[in-house]
Amino acid sequence: MTSDPPSLSDADALAALAGSFSGRLITDAAQMAPFLIDWRKAWTGTALAVVQPDTAQDVAHVMAWAHANRISVTPQGGNTGLAGGSQPAMQGRNIVVSTARLNRVRAVDAQNSTITVEAGVILQTLQQAAADAGRLFPLSLAAEGSCTIGGNLATNAGGVGVLRYGNTRDLCLGLEVVTPDGRLWDGLRGLRKDNTGYDLRDLYIGSEGTLGVITAAVMKLYPAPAAKVAAFVGLETAHQATALLQLAQARAGATLTAFELISDRALALVLKHFPATRPPFDSAQRWNVLLEISTPVSEAEGRAELEALLAAALDQGVAADAVVAGSLAQSQALWALRERISESQSAEGASLKHDISVPISRIADFIPAGEAALLAIAPGARLVAFGHLGDGNLHYNVSFPEGGDGAAFMALRPQINLAIHDLVAAHDGSISAEHGLGLLRRDEAARYRPAVETDLMQAIKRALDPLNLMNPGKVLPPL
Ligand SMILES: Cc1cc2nc3c(=O)[nH]c(=O)nc-3n(C[C@H](O)[C@H](O)[C@H](O)COP(=O)(O)OP(=O)(O)OC[C@H]3O[C@@H](n4cnc5c(N)ncnc54)[C@H](O)[C@@H]3O)c2cc1C
C-alpha cells in the first residue's frame, strides 16, 4: 500500500520528472494507450505517463522521483506477457517504465561465452547478436520478435529450448537492477561460480516487476550447432510419448533439444485454419511428438542419428509412425505445425488456457484425468493439449464444444479452471509453468501455496519494496 499523500500535484510532479532524465516522457492519452492494455486485451490500466529512459542511470532517476512522489511503477518490455503483469494498475497514481530505449548490446565476451545486454533488447536481436559472434543464445519462443530479455527474465520465460538449455533463469549469470528507491545495483557478473551470500539475481528473475527494474543482464552463450534436424512422430497413447522421451534422451543425450507434444485435435485445428499446411503422414494418430536434434557435426550425421532413434522407437512399440525432415524447409514446415496451434485455437473461437506442469512421470495419467474432469463440467468441450512435454509443461487448453455456445462455455471458466488446477495440485504440479502469475493466476496460486511460502514471499516483498510501489497487486494478493 502506498503511503503519505504526495506534496506535488500530478502536473508539477511530471514537470519535475521531465527535467530529471534523458529519454521520452509520454503523457498523450492516445500515445499511452497501447502501453496500458495487456496482450490478451483482458486488462486496461491507468497511468500518469509512460516513461522511456535512455540509460540505467536514467531509470534510477525516474525511480527516485517515483519513490519521492509515492507513484507506483510498472516495468514494461515488449508487453507480450500472458498473465496480466505488464499493464499498470487500474486505479491510483502509476507510471509505466518502458525499456524500449534500453536497447544496447553492451558487450560480447566470446571466450567467457557471455553477452551483456540491456533489458529492452528484443529477444530476436539478442539471438542475432549471438549468431554474429558464432554462438547460440538458445532462448526461443513465439513472441521472440517483440518480447525483450528484461521481460523474459522478469517472467523467467521458457519456450522450446528448455529441455536442453533450461529456462531464462538458467541462462542468466548477472543482473543490473534499479531498486524501488532509485539505487542502481551492479550485479553484472559473468561468473559461473559465485557463492557470496543470498542470490539477489535469482530473486529478481521471475519477480514480474514487483521488486525492481531490471536494466541489464549477463546471459550465457553456447556453441552454435552445425545443424538442427526435426522429426514428427505419431503415437497411440500419451504413455508412449513419455516412453519415447526416455528413449530419445538415452540415445541422443544433450543433442535432443526439443520434444513437443501435439494432440490430434491441436494438429487438426492447424490443418483447418492454415489450409497451406499439410499433415506430416497419412495416418492420423491420437498423439504426435515433434522432436529435434541439434548436432555439432553435420546435418547428415543429425539425420542419421534421428533415423536410428526412430527405427528403435518403432521397433520397441513407442511410436506408430514417423517422418524425419529431409531439408531445412521440411523442418520448418514441421515446426509450423507446432507454432500455429495457438493462433488456430483462437481462430476456432472461445477457448480457455491452462499453462501447467506436472512431473513427467505423471503427465500421461494427468491428461485423461483432466479430460474426464473437464467433460463432467462441460460435456462436449474439446481438450486441445500440446506443449513442452520434455519439460513436463503442457498448454492444457480447452475449446468450446463444436457447434455449441461459446459464451455459455466461457461462463464455466471458474469451474473448469478450478477442476484442472485442483488436479494439477493433486499431481504435485504447478498452475503456471512458464507464464508467471501477474493478475491472471495471482489468487489461484495463493490458494495452492503453503502458508509459510506466502509469508516468506510477502516478507521479501516488504523488505525490497516497503512502500509497495513496484507493480502493486501483481504476483501476490495485496498485503
Ligand atoms: C505469441 C506468444 C507466445 C509466447 N510463448 C511463450 C513461451 O513459449 N514460453 C514462455 O515462457 N512465454 C511465452 N510467452 C509469454 C512470455 O512471457 C513473454 O512473451 C515474454 O517473456 C515477456 O517479455 P516482454 O518483454 O513482452 O515482457 P512484458 O510483457 O512487457 O512484461 C512481462 C512482465 O515482466 C515485467 N517486466 C518487463 N520488463 C521488465 C524489466 N526490465 N524489469 C522488471 N520487470 C520487467 C512486467 O512488469 C510484467 O510483469 C508468449 C507470449 C506470446 C504473445
Side-chain angles (χ1 to χ4, degrees), residues 123-172:
L123 175 54
Q124 213 165 54
T125 308
L126 171 45
Q127 294 165 343
Q128 189 55 51
D132 292 347
R135 299 299 166 112
L136 171 76
F137 182 67
L139 184 67
S140 177
L141 42 107
E144 63 199 22
S146 346
C147 65
T148 63
I149 189 63
N152 302 147
L153 285 159
T155 59
N156 188 25
V160 292
V162 174
L163 176 65
R164 161 70 180 89
Y165 301 101
N167 48 29
T168 311
R169 182 187 303 283
D170 301 306
L171 300 174
C172 179

Side-chain angles (χ1 to χ4, degrees), residues 39 74-82 85-86 99 119 140-143 146-148 150-152 154-160 208-209 212-215 388 434-435 471:
W39 176 271
T74 294
Q76 191 180 100
N79 201 12
T80 68
L82 297 175
S86 55
T99 57
S140 177
L141 42 107
S146 346
C147 65
T148 63
N152 302 147
T155 59
N156 188 25
V160 292
E208 299 182 57
V213 182
I214 298 167
T215 50
H388 318 299
E434 59 174 12
H435 293 163
N471 218 3

Side-chain angles (χ1 to χ4, degrees), residues 53-67:
D54 277 345
T55 65
Q57 205 57 56
D58 288 322
V59 176
H61 289 142
V62 172
M63 296 301 289
W65 167 89
H67 188 259

Side-chain angles (χ1 to χ4, degrees), residues 26-273:
I26 305 169
T27 52
D28 174 75
Q31 287 183 42
M32 284 203 294
F35 297 90
L36 306 185
I37 186 165
D38 75 297
W39 176 271
R40 285 183 168 148
K41 310 217 179 321
W43 296 276
T44 303
T46 171
L48 302 175
V50 174
V51 186
Q52 295 185 324
D54 277 345
T55 65
Q57 205 57 56
D58 288 322
V59 176
H61 289 142
V62 172
M63 296 301 289
W65 167 89
H67 188 259
N69 289 285
R70 305 296 193 258
I71 289 172
S72 75
V73 174
T74 294
Q76 191 180 100
N79 201 12
T80 68
L82 297 175
S86 55
Q87 76 290 340
M90 287 164 231
Q91 67 285 313
R93 301 167 78 234
N94 321 302
I95 58 167
V96 172
V97 170
S98 152
T99 57
R101 292 161 75 97
L102 295 173
N103 58 4
R104 282 156 288 249
V105 174
R106 289 194 191 161
V108 178
D109 184 343
Q111 235 178 1
N112 195 39
S113 286
T114 52
I115 185 166
T116 305
V117 286
E118 294 185 346
V121 168
I122 301 289
L123 175 54
Q124 213 165 54
T125 308
L126 171 45
Q127 294 165 343
Q128 189 55 51
D132 292 347
R135 299 299 166 112
L136 171 76
F137 182 67
L139 184 67
S140 177
L141 42 107
E144 63 199 22
S146 346
C147 65
T148 63
I149 189 63
N152 302 147
L153 285 159
T155 59
N156 188 25
V160 292
V162 174
L163 176 65
R164 161 70 180 89
Y165 301 101
N167 48 29
T168 311
R169 182 187 303 283
D170 301 306
L171 300 174
C172 179
L173 293 177
L175 284 185
E176 179 188 79
V177 174
V178 175
T179 64
D181 58 359
R183 286 176 293 161
L184 184 63
W185 170 54
D186 181 350
L188 289 175
R189 298 166 199 140
L191 303 174
R192 286 162 177 85
K193 289 193 165 180
D194 177 20
N195 287 347
T196 52
Y198 302 135
D199 198 328
L200 298 178
R201 172 197 58 189
D202 271 352
L203 264 186
Y204 288 110
I205 296 173
S207 66
E208 299 182 57
T210 61
L211 300 178
V213 182
I214 298 167
T215 50
V218 183
M219 306 302 295
K220 290 184 201 168
L221 298 178
Y222 288 81
K228 292 178 178 182
V229 186
F232 217 82
V233 185
L235 313 132
E236 281 146 18
T237 68
H239 281 283
Q240 280 182 323
T242 51
L244 177 63
L245 175 64
Q246 300 282 303
L247 180 70
Q249 285 178 317
R251 291 188 65 122
T255 64
L256 180 69
T257 44
F259 195 96
E260 298 286 309
L261 185 73
I262 302 170
S263 69
D264 54 353
R265 208 173 260 140
L267 181 60
L269 287 181
V270 175
L271 297 172
K272 173 178 171 186
H273 292 284

